[in-house]
Amino acid sequence: MKCFTHKTLLAALVLAGASLQMQGCKPKGSQAAISGDAAAKTYVAPGKYDEFYNFVSGGFSGQMSVYGLPSGRLLRVIPVFSVDPEKGYGYSEETKAMLTTSNGFIPWDDLHHIALSETNGLHDGRWVFANANNTPRIARVDLKTFRTAEIIEIPNSAGNHSSPFITENSEYVVAGTRFSVPMGEHTDVPISSYKQNFKGTVSFINIDKTSGEMNLAFQIATPGVNFDLARAGKGKSHGWVFFSCYNSEKANTLLEVNASQKDKDFIMAVNWKKAEEYLKAGKGVKKAVKYTHNQYDEKKHSATSTTLNEVLVLDPKDCPDMVYFMPCPKSPHGCDTDPTGEYIVGSGKLAATIPVFSFTKIQKAIADKNFDGTYDDIPVLKYEAVLHGEVQKPGLGPLHTEFDDQGNAYTSFFVSSEIVKWNVKDLKVLDRVPTYYSIGHLSVPGGPTKKPWGKYVIAYNKITKDRYLPTGPELSQSAQLYDISGEKMKLLLDFPTIGEPHYGEAIPAELIMKNSQKIYKIEENAHPYAAKGDNYTRVERKGNEVHVYMTAIRSHFTPDNIEGVKLGETVYFHVTNLEQDWDIPHGFAIKGANNAELLIMPGETQTLKWVPEKTGVFPMYCTDFCSALHQEMQGYIRVSAPGSNVPIIYGTGTIKGASDSKTADGKTK
Ligand code: RUQ
Ligand code: CUA
């Protein structure tokens, strides 16, 4: 547990003076909640495909997982911010740079939110973005390969929670800092000087239209609040992003009490089109920072990490009409824009109503200067002036809202553990279903876009309790699938998830599967250590290093016998998988290697570093069952004493000496 605990939230609610009836953690009638045809609706027959991909946050596992819907079957875990021995991610020499940060190599993080790329406000199936919460970063996963293609660090940020949320043409993904912190030269200040010295930022990361490449375009300096979530405007509110924030009290201790004092916190509305004008006009101030930008090259099959030293910062004080605050009751968490872009739903997690703001009214209030003073010199719009209305008595602890294609909204309620359906225009509650238990985020396929597909809502829960067979002190994480095609929501399925399923997005399978890449073309392999055929395999000594240019094809390695390595040397196995068939990876493992094994896709080259710790003969083998003779796919490497005169010899079938070895172009040396 998770974003916050039941206990603290309840305590906070009590402290906040909420005199609402609390529902228990376990809603009644969990059996009755399952409709008769649920099994038929989620049954995907053997050999049949699911209708949707569901990309789900892996929470503190740092990874992203992919499920099929409606079956809830786990299809893949995509390593993003944590090392993954299954795929060698973060262990192979090629992927280590992906996890490099300004703080060095970080082998894990905490992934919260998912954002599918969009064109014209619709999912386009090209990329999926995700945030690292702890060491602020954003990753882009390429949906052709289901691999992390790029990770960019966010400077001037601490706790990258309000991230990544995407604009309707993937112009930007945004990232707001959860923690405000001292920034710049002098960060060694008393924590009690929070109000003077602590500041926040929101960052705009530009996405290249063709390549998807990320670039930190600019940041906006903000007051020292905590940013929580965000959504971009769309349609009529295109050009705006809305960030929820709490702790407008600027407390630095016991936030559960001290950040719950005020009746209202804020949603911060940012006009990024205006911000672009100010940037053009030279209003951006260059600030010295340090952050990394890591990219995976699909031809070289290798990642590089670049350190960047500068960011452009806009200060709202120099940029009037760019940032506004809208009061929002009681520590807003979710902040969601409806498909038309007219309505912005704030979810005060300690509030008893759901406020819905109108973009048209926001524009009018700005034009009329209908302000309620300022907050740190930023105009605060009058609550009543921008409010479309409030959903009355919706439930307890509203967190997040998604939308269907019929003008309805679905809000998750953590404390009362339910999903509530309501009409966006007239704000009437239409239906409610219990969740098992304590839902956090929820997702309707296409829910954040201009045209949701509807059909289902998925609940991502915080507590599992009695839903699955017990598995020791930690129980399975849990998601639930509900049918929303009728007037009443119907529970169809529970499915366990990997790590905490903070948020997920679902997209029709056909938008992705048609682009799915099957192999890497061997002729395009530009890895400097590739051996693009057995002729190119060799063993080379370079000072204290021994480089093995190795190939793998059903069912042998070349070379599979190697001698002449000396203790004290570092061995690099550069293994090229020569296969050009779909789904024929080879693995590579060597006894005593203290990092991981490799998993090499068809046409790809990956490198395992091995520092032998004693002399002797060490077996190596393929770890992925690739053929009937997979078990024969093995070999040996001999390590001799430092002063020995064992020559380098190697081969498969015929063993030869290094003097007959071939150069990269296949010629005999
Ligand atoms: S949050 S449960 Cu970490 Cu996305 Cu709302
Ligand atoms: Cu290659 Cu098993």
Side-chain angles (χ1 to χ4, degrees), residues 98-397:
M98 290 303 283
L99 298 176
T100 300
T101 72
S102 61
N103 296 303
F105 180 82
I106 295 190
W108 65 276
D109 212 302
D110 177 19
L111 187 157
H112 279 227
H113 304 123
I114 301 288
L116 284 164
S117 57
E118 293 182 19
T119 303
N120 298 326
L122 305 177
H123 285 160
D124 57 23
R126 300 206 287 168
W127 309 299
V128 55
F129 298 85
N131 66 324
N133 198 31
N134 185 47
T135 299
R137 283 169 290 169
I138 290 179
R140 177 173 59 87
V141 170
D142 190 330
L143 291 176
K144 288 199 306 292
T145 56
F146 282 57
R147 282 184 159 189
T148 303
E150 190 180 6
I151 293 181
I152 193 166
E153 197 178 348
I154 315 290
N156 291 331
S157 174
N160 178 37
H161 191 266
S162 180
S163 155
F165 294 94
I166 198 158
T167 59
E168 70 176 321
N169 281 300
S170 304
E171 294 96 337
Y172 296 102
V173 289
V174 301
T177 184
R178 168 186 171 176
F179 296 96
S180 279
V181 285
M183 285 176 204
E185 303 270 282
H186 306 291
T187 53
D188 176 13
V189 297
I191 300 170
S192 59
S193 71
Y194 188 105
K195 289 190 172 73
Q196 300 83 273
N197 290 324
F198 287 46
K199 293 280 177 274
T201 58
V202 294
S203 305
F204 285 71
I205 295 97
N206 175 251
I207 311 299
D208 183 86
K209 274 200 165 36
T210 321
S211 65
E213 193 177 320
M214 298 188 282
N215 155 44
L216 177 53
F218 63 97
Q219 298 187 311
I220 296 177
T222 73
V225 296
N226 291 43
F227 290 99
D228 212 3
L229 285 131
R231 279 293 182 197
K234 47 186 171 272
K236 59 168 62 165
S237 54
H238 179 71
W240 289 75
V241 182
F242 305 93
F243 294 87
S244 62
C245 53
Y246 60 104
N247 195 20
S248 55
E249 295 86 350
K250 295 188 183 160
N252 57 284
T253 182
L254 195 64
L255 262 66
E256 64 174 304
V257 178
N258 295 331
S260 307
Q261 296 302 307
K262 287 197 185 165
D263 208 35
K264 293 197 174 62
D265 289 281
F266 297 118
I267 287 175
M268 186 175 86
V270 174
N271 182 340
W272 59 259
K273 290 272 183 196
K274 260 267 144 59
E276 286 179 340
E277 287 170 22
Y278 284 124
L279 282 177
K280 267 205 195 119
K283 293 277 180 187
V285 178
K286 282 185 188 158
K287 295 262 157 107
V289 286
K290 200 176 157 202
Y291 66 103
T292 56
H293 183 200
N294 309 335
Q295 286 172 288
Y296 197 80
D297 182 321
E298 276 199 10
K299 298 271 161 23
K300 292 190 176 140
H301 300 287
S302 305
T304 46
S305 179
T306 314
T307 300
L308 299 163
N309 298 305
E310 218 172 64
V311 61
L312 277 177
V313 180
L314 291 172
D315 190 329
K317 291 189 186 81
D318 311 327
C319 307
D321 202 26
M322 178 176 73
V323 180
Y324 294 93
F325 281 116
M326 315 196 289
C328 186
K330 290 277 168 209
S331 305
H333 185 61
C335 161
D336 296 285
T337 50
D338 88 314
T340 66
E342 167 64 10
Y343 301 109
I344 299 110
V345 180
S347 293
K349 53 191 187 276
L350 306 177
T353 59
I354 305 174
V356 180
F357 301 95
S358 150
F359 184 73
T360 311
K361 288 189 175 177
I362 293 169
Q363 294 311 300
K364 182 158 191 316
I366 289 172
D368 298 349
K369 300 212 177 327
N370 203 348
F371 301 149
D372 206 352
T374 58
Y375 180 80
D376 280 18
D377 301 327
I378 294 172
V380 177
L381 301 172
K382 263 219 180 81
Y383 180 68
E384 293 73 21
V386 293
L387 191 72
H388 163 62
E390 290 173 342
V391 184
Q392 296 299 327
K393 295 211 179 127
L396 286 182

Side-chain angles (χ1 to χ4, degrees), residues 3-4 112-113 161 229 333 399-400 440-441 462 502-503:
C3 274
F4 33 68
H112 279 227
H113 304 123
H161 191 266
L229 285 131
H333 185 61
L399 292 185
H400 299 281
H441 280 268
K462 299 296 183 197
H502 284 268
Y503 181 50

